[in-house]
Amino acid sequence: MADIEPYESALDSIPGAHPYPRTSRYHDAEIGIHKQADGTEVRYTKRRLLPPLDDDTEPHVVGAGERPDLLAQRFLGDPGQWWRIADANPVLDPRELTDEAGRAIGIPLAGGFSRGERRV
């Protein structure tokens, strides 16, 4: 096991490789490199700015007990995509999306389907 290259080093050898999977909210984030005084390079993910609010969302009224991850599973097919719902709504904390039953939120359309083509 000692001769296995660390994950970051392996990525360095692949041009254009990105450390985040396509489903991550950080996939398109730029990777920065900070050079320390001793010459050591430290890689970091640069700040991710929120996209403009998208008008192409499906309205949803939050029910009791709903959570962002459960909504993502139900509407987008992946609980890890809760961040897409958070990005589509003007909240600072994703828990604000579902902390109050009866709140109206927008659910982004899954897979780019228009409203008429979406299946839930």
Side-chain angles (χ1 to χ4, degrees), residues 4-12 18-21:
I4 295 177
E5 255 187 286
Y7 178 68
E8 292 170 1
S9 297
L11 283 176
D12 289 344
H18 203 284
Y20 298 102

Side-chain angles (χ1 to χ4, degrees), residues 42-108:
V42 178
R43 296 183 186 280
Y44 64 95
T45 303
K46 291 189 175 182
R47 180 178 292 168
R48 175 184 173 266
L49 300 177
L50 290 177
L53 290 177
D54 189 358
D55 290 335
D56 201 15
T57 60
E58 185 77 27
H60 175 72
V61 176
V62 174
E66 287 189 312
R67 299 188 325 237
D69 61 326
L70 297 176
L71 292 173
Q73 175 63 45
R74 179 174 162 197
F75 291 103
L76 305 175
D78 179 357
Q81 297 300 298
W82 61 266
W83 60 270
R84 291 188 190 275
I85 298 170
D87 281 2
N89 292 273
V91 296
L92 292 176
D93 182 341
R95 293 174 290 195
E96 292 177 48
L97 292 168
T98 56
D99 64 356
E100 184 181 321
R103 177 185 179 140
I105 63 172
I107 305 288

